[in-house]
Structures are given as C-alpha cells and as structure tokens.
Amino acid sequence: MNETLKRALSGAVYVVLLLGCISYSREGLAILFGAFLVIGVYEFCKMCGLNYYISIPIAAGSYYYLWNKNSDLNLNTALTTISIVTSIKLLLYLFNANKSNFKIYTRYFLLFGYVILPFILTNYVAMGVKGYNPKILISIIVLIWTNDTFAYLVGKNIGKNKLFPSVSPKKTIEGFAGGLVFTIIGGVLLANYYIMASTLFIWIVIAAIVSIFSTLGDLIESKLKRVAGIKDTGNIMPGHGGILDRLDSIIFVIPFINLFYLILYYVS
C-alpha cells in the first residue's frame, strides 16, 4: 500500500471515529477521548522522559473521576485555571529561544495541565444550556480544520513572511491571517446554519480563539518535538503520526474556550 493511500485511509478512519462517537452520545465522546488520553499520555511520557507506569494510571483515574463534573462550577473553574496557567507557561517556553528543557517536576505539571486536563475539559465544552450538544464540539473541530486548511492554502500561495521560522519554517504571517479570516467566516456560517446560535458574537469570538490558539498549540508541539529530536509523537495513525500530532491544536484550544464559557457565565 503506497504512503498516500495509507494516509488517506487512516485519516478517514480517524474522522469517522471522531465525528461518529461525538455525535452518538456524551458517553461515546467520553470513551473515545478517554482512549485518546491514555495514548496521548503515553506519547507525552515517551517524548519528555516521564514514567508512564505512574502517569497513565493517574491520568485514567483523573479522567474517570472528573469527566462528568462540569456542573460543579468551582471545580470547573479550578481545572480551567490550572490548564490556562500551564498554557501560559508553555507560551513563555515557546517565545524563549534559550529555553529547551524542563525540570522533571515541571514536566509532570505540564503532563497534568497540558495533556490530562484538556481531555477532561473537552467533555465540559460539549455541554450546552440544554445538556449535551455534539454540535458544539463538532463545530470547534471543523473550525480547527478550517484554520489549518486555509492557513496552508493562503501561506502556500501568497505567504512571504515567516511566522516562527525557528520552530516551524513553513508557517507564514499571511497564512496565519488567512486562516484567521476564513475561520471567523466559518464560525459565522456554522452559527447561522448548523448550530442555529441565538448570539452570533459568541461564535465569532470562539472562531478567533480557535484560530489563534490552535496555531500556538501547533507551534508548541513542534518545539517540544524539535527539542526531543523526534518527527512525530507516535505512529498509531499511519501517515499522520500520533494522537498528540492530531490533537495538539484541540488540547490547546479547549481550555481557552472553556475559560470564555466561564467568563460568560460569571458576567451574565
């Protein structure tokens, strides 16, 4: 089987599994992302030199206990805060050219805030005002794909100025801007014709969050891999790499969307 066909088939299986489980039920989403979490933790431990015999049980136990605790506002806020703090630490790491490695205790903190918590919070983001709403998470995923696609197309055709050459030489400022514009357009279309949202502004903000932070999440993952000296975090998906290669954008985006949800709740 040639590489292109292998990549297409594994990508198709991934998309069908992802959208199918999310659409089926809240439990389907929980089981799928629980499995993704275990694999993602294993990949992160291999990449960062952590003990996965300790990390995987902690991750699985945390996920099992917390995946459906979104109604506990104090807990939700605390988990989101920890994840955002971790994201800020990773952003400082990204923009610090002299920083390459973390101490062992910091790596475990990153494992919890950067990998484990976003998988838990994904279950929270999928909850709408009337309960589980798969359209919310599907729309976020579609927006991430939209950003990736149009950032690539615009960057390939008119991109001249490198966005972050030391980490990702192919990304351009023009591609980033194109991805942002088309993602916001996609957010407007999804809000009007798929989600039937009552407030368009919310989905414009979500689209902007998706575009900005999915790009940053991809850059952070690229730097982590570059420092670790690896091309992919794993090989579970032929032609696509590992789970963290596929979900690096969503696990960085989700905490910021959940933070936006919480801000809306507290100010309303």
Side-chain angles (χ1 to χ4, degrees):
M1 185 183 297
N2 66 52
E3 193 63 29
T4 302
L5 181 58
K6 188 186 296 184
R7 181 181 174 87
L9 287 175
S10 64
V13 170
Y14 167 73
V15 170
V16 170
L17 185 65
L18 185 67
L19 299 184
C21 287
I22 294 171
S23 300
Y24 182 71
S25 68
R26 187 183 186 189
E27 290 72 24
L29 165 64
I31 292 169
L32 178 66
F33 270 72
F36 283 168
L37 170 62
V38 170
I39 300 168
V41 168
Y42 174 79
E43 292 176 353
F44 188 84
C45 289
K46 294 282 283 186
M47 179 171 63
C48 296
L50 300 179
N51 188 324
Y52 50 82
Y53 290 111
I54 296 173
S55 302
I56 290 176
I58 290 174
S62 300
Y63 187 87
Y64 178 78
Y65 178 72
L66 296 170
W67 74 271
N68 62 350
K69 297 292 192 299
N70 59 287
S71 58
D72 185 336
L73 193 60
N74 290 331
L75 178 63
N76 190 340
T77 303
L79 297 180
T80 302
T81 301
I82 294 170
S83 193
I84 294 295
V85 169
T86 309
S87 298
I88 292 170
K89 186 170 186 63
L90 283 169
L91 287 171
L92 294 174
Y93 165 74
L94 174 64
F95 289 103
N96 186 348
N98 299 319
K99 180 74 172 178
S100 57
N101 291 310
F102 294 105
K103 294 180 179 178
I104 187 71
Y105 63 83
T106 304
R107 279 178 267 162
Y108 277 108
F109 174 73
L110 294 177
L111 172 68
F112 187 68
Y114 171 62
V115 182
I116 297 173
L117 288 185
F119 279 96
I120 293 169
L121 294 175
T122 300
N123 292 276
Y124 296 5
V125 165
M127 299 300 292
V129 293
K130 297 180 180 179
Y132 180 64
N133 185 353
K135 290 184 177 182
I136 295 173
L137 189 55
I138 289 173
S139 295
I140 291 170
I141 291 170
V142 169
L143 289 175
I144 290 173
W145 292 342
T146 300
N147 183 69
D148 289 347
T149 301
F150 283 98
Y152 170 76
L153 292 175
V154 173
K156 183 179 180 182
N157 287 285
I158 65 171
K160 294 181 180 179
N161 300 289
K162 301 298 183 183
L163 179 65
F164 215 116
S166 63
V167 173
S168 185
K170 294 183 180 180
K171 289 190 187 310
T172 65
I173 294 172
E174 293 84 358
F176 169 73
L180 176 61
V181 170
F182 280 99
T183 303
I184 290 174
I185 292 172
V188 170
L189 293 174
L190 286 167
N192 283 331
Y193 300 107
Y194 179 61
I195 302 171
M196 306 301 179
S198 57
T199 307
L200 181 61
F201 168 75
I202 290 175
W203 277 93
I204 292 174
V205 174
I206 288 175
I209 291 172
V210 165
S211 181
I212 294 167
F213 289 100
S214 67
T215 302
L216 290 170
D218 186 56
L219 288 170
I220 287 168
E221 188 71 18
S222 294
K223 182 169 181 178
L224 290 171
K225 290 189 291 186
R226 187 176 290 267
V227 169
I230 59 175
K231 182 178 181 292
D232 298 315
T233 59
N235 56 10
I236 192 170
M237 293 177 59
H240 293 272
I243 287 298
L244 292 182
D245 292 311
R246 292 301 89 211
L247 297 178
D248 56 354
S249 293
I250 194 167
I251 65 173
F252 201 73
V253 162
I254 285 295
F256 289 94
I257 292 179
N258 205 54
L259 175 63
F260 178 55
Y261 277 11
L262 289 171
I263 291 171
L264 289 176
Y265 177 84
Y266 281 119
V267 301
S268 63

